[in-house]
Amino acid sequence: MRSTGMALGGAVAAAGFGLLMWCGITTALLQLRPGGASALSLVQGPGLVLGLLLAAGGRLAAQRTRAWHGRSGLLAAGAALAACVLAWALQFGVALRDPNTVGVLGVLLVLLAFGAIAADSATSGDGDARARPLQVPIQLLFAMATGLGLLYLLMEQRLGAAGDGRLMLATLLGLGSVLALCHVVDGQTEIARQRPAPSLRQRARVPGLLVAGPALALVLALSGWLPAMLTLATATLALLAASLLDRGASRRRAMP
């Protein structure tokens, strides 16, 4: 039970940091558009708050007293501070008065959140980076995919910008497919290491969710049976479930 809770906390924290990364990216890019700063607080403001809550709560659930220790803890705390400052700047109109400063804050947030995820991935799991060389890229892709799903949900809720959600769902399907391919390639090393080797059903659960979830959501969007909010939620939950399963498997392998 504790292992499951830690895996869930890790998946939630990664999604939170992924959302912070996308908020930072979009904030920096919107500074380049005429009039883009005025629309920042509609999505990026709530996104920063939600990402901060998920990242902090997930880390506390997964690591308890070690949540803010070590290199990953320092980077996570830095990302949280940058998110707070950026949210304050958006709330009080700094983006309109000094867009360059807000753009720099967005880039800084991306770098700190990226570093926190990478550092956490490098020191978690089964502890053998040479045996799983794609572990860090996979966890970064998980964070980016789940964070993007959350950002799309915010965009639909705040702006109604998704229409039927087809383009957004196609993007999530593309990310999920790339992540599934990386997971399959990385898993080949695990097959050689584990005795007995994991079954095909066990190996296929995570890649299957990564592809099938967004694909099903896209089919539902194309059919028009469900509104965009529900199809986007379906795809995002499938990506989160895949992240949870992957982290749970990594923690089980790490147990003596």
Side-chain angles (χ1 to χ4, degrees), residues 223-250:
S223 68
W225 290 347
L226 293 176
M229 182 64 76
L230 290 181
T231 55
L232 288 169
T234 298
T236 303
L237 287 174
L239 295 172
L240 281 168
S243 178
L244 172 60
L245 287 175
D246 178 73
R247 286 176 176 273
S250 294

Side-chain angles (χ1 to χ4, degrees), residues 180-247:
L181 178 61
C182 292
H183 199 277
V184 169
V185 172
D186 191 57
Q188 298 304 308
T189 305
E190 289 300 303
I191 296 174
R193 291 176 60 206
Q194 288 187 260
R195 292 292 183 271
S199 65
L200 177 61
R201 181 178 178 181
Q202 290 176 312
R203 301 198 306 270
R205 286 186 301 177
V206 172
L209 270 174
L210 289 169
V211 176
L216 174 61
L218 182 57
V219 169
L220 291 173
L222 292 171
S223 68
W225 290 347
L226 293 176
M229 182 64 76
L230 290 181
T231 55
L232 288 169
T234 298
T236 303
L237 287 174
L239 295 172
L240 281 168
S243 178
L244 172 60
L245 287 175
D246 178 73
R247 286 176 176 273

Side-chain angles (χ1 to χ4, degrees), residues 54-139:
L54 292 175
R59 281 191 71 88
L60 288 172
Q63 301 186 29
R64 306 292 174 85
T65 57
R66 298 183 296 107
W68 310 108
H69 292 179
R71 183 175 58 179
S72 67
L74 290 175
L75 288 167
L81 179 60
C84 289
V85 174
L86 185 55
W88 174 86
L90 296 178
Q91 177 65 29
F92 291 96
V94 177
L96 296 173
R97 300 191 302 270
D98 192 357
N100 291 333
T101 298
V102 172
V104 170
L105 282 173
V107 173
L108 178 63
L109 175 59
V110 173
L111 294 176
L112 289 170
F114 188 96
I117 298 166
D120 185 59
S121 301
T123 56
S124 62
D126 57 15
D128 192 348
R130 293 174 300 175
R132 299 197 66 191
L134 294 181
Q135 177 68 8
V136 172
I138 283 174
Q139 295 308 320

